[in-house]
Amino acid sequence: MLEITDLDVAYGKRRALHGVSLTVGAGEIVTLLGANGSGKSTTLRAVSGLVRPARGRIRYDGRDVGGWTADAIVAAGVGHVPEGRDVFAEFTVLDNLLVGAHTVASREVPARLEAAYALFPVLRERRRQRAGTLSGGEQQMLAIGRALMARPRLLLLDEPSLGLAPRLVGEILAVIRRVNADGVAVLLVEQNARAALALASRGYVLETGRVVASGPSATLAADPRIRSGYLGLDRSRPGASSGYDPERRPDGAGA
């Protein structure tokens, strides 16, 4: 479904991605892991048309979409939930969802709204409320619901659990499973490396814009070099890794 080959992306003179290659098959969940600044978000932004590649190819559903506009990519079946949720704070929940349906025929919008409300019942309850007054978890649900309004076949998720309380993290991850079970492929960037590897069938590890490891999730999770050097999963002794600690709650409290 998605095939990225030798992708380079630059912001001015700074090269953010160096020859990145990865694939996502139909119906798969694939995770993209690495430290802050490693190029994970840039990869998603390149796929969704928010940044233009300097070199390389992005093929979606057999078509080269590297030069397409973001709207055209959404219409082709790619949804993107950026880091930080990025909801329209002054718009109501309903208006935010309708923004997500801007590429959809008007006759299909009511059914798309009902699907979003079925997935996130709280959005129906809050539909007349301004998005900026929602809790962090509710805003994340809204951001995902908005992306799903276009009924994508590939969903790009950038740090969906960032800043959420542990209970809400579990709810968001369960929603990702449900969305995937409905046939939507997912390319997931997630701070909680253990949860990401549990959700995904495969993963890629980025370091300074390069893919330094890839393989089945179980293989990555068991690799001592990946665990301690990139994923921060081996914290058996103080100072063993400076990476993300999955045993630490997103709200900063201990496990």
Side-chain angles (χ1 to χ4, degrees), residues 47-61:
V47 173
S48 63
L50 297 179
V51 297
R52 291 294 179 92
R55 185 178 71 89
R57 187 174 67 178
I58 303 171
R59 292 182 64 83
Y60 168 73
D61 202 21

Side-chain angles (χ1 to χ4, degrees), residues 1 15-16 27 32 55-56 65 72 94 112 120 138 158 182 192 217 237:
M1 172 175 283
R15 187 68 60 87
L32 193 57
R55 185 178 71 89
V65 300
L94 176 59
R112 304 289 177 91
F120 299 113
E138 290 166 347
D158 196 349
D182 287 337
N192 187 327
S217 292
R237 58 185 177 82

Side-chain angles (χ1 to χ4, degrees), residues 46-217:
V47 173
S48 63
L50 297 179
V51 297
R52 291 294 179 92
R55 185 178 71 89
R57 187 174 67 178
I58 303 171
R59 292 182 64 83
Y60 168 73
D61 202 21
R63 293 171 288 180
D64 189 338
V65 300
W68 290 20
T69 65
D71 277 356
I73 292 172
V74 170
V78 179
H80 184 189
V81 181
E83 181 182 356
R85 298 148 202 151
D86 202 24
V87 299
F88 296 100
E90 297 302 315
F91 288 13
T92 66
V93 167
L94 176 59
D95 287 340
N96 269 271
L97 292 172
L98 292 176
V99 168
H102 73 282
T103 62
V104 175
S106 58
R107 65 181 180 277
E108 298 180 17
V109 171
R112 304 289 177 91
L113 283 172
E114 285 304 311
Y117 292 150
L119 191 61
F120 299 113
V122 70
L123 298 184
R124 186 193 300 274
E125 299 170 14
R126 305 276 198 270
R127 64 187 181 278
R128 302 298 180 187
Q129 187 172 325
R130 282 190 302 146
T133 66
L134 299 177
S135 70
E138 290 166 347
Q139 288 188 19
Q140 186 63 73
M141 293 174 190
L142 177 57
I144 295 173
R146 183 179 61 190
L148 293 175
M149 286 292 292
R151 198 173 290 174
R153 293 187 297 118
L154 172 65
L155 184 62
L156 313 174
L157 289 172
D158 196 349
E159 304 282 16
S161 77
L162 184 64
L164 302 185
R167 177 183 60 82
L168 291 174
V169 170
E171 290 183 17
I172 293 298
L173 296 178
V175 164
I176 296 171
R177 288 187 187 276
R178 288 177 59 187
V179 169
N180 177 248
D182 287 337
V184 179
V186 177
L187 181 57
L188 172 66
V189 170
E190 173 53 48
Q191 60 163 344
N192 187 327
R194 183 171 295 166
L197 291 172
L199 276 174
S201 59
R202 296 186 296 111
Y204 295 84
V205 181
L206 284 179
E207 184 181 65
T208 59
R210 294 178 171 85
V211 175
V212 295
S214 64
S217 292

Side-chain angles (χ1 to χ4, degrees), residues 28-43:
E28 266 196 309
I29 301 179
V30 174
T31 188
L32 193 57
L33 301 168
N36 290 340
S38 60
K40 306 183 301 296
S41 295
T42 295
T43 301

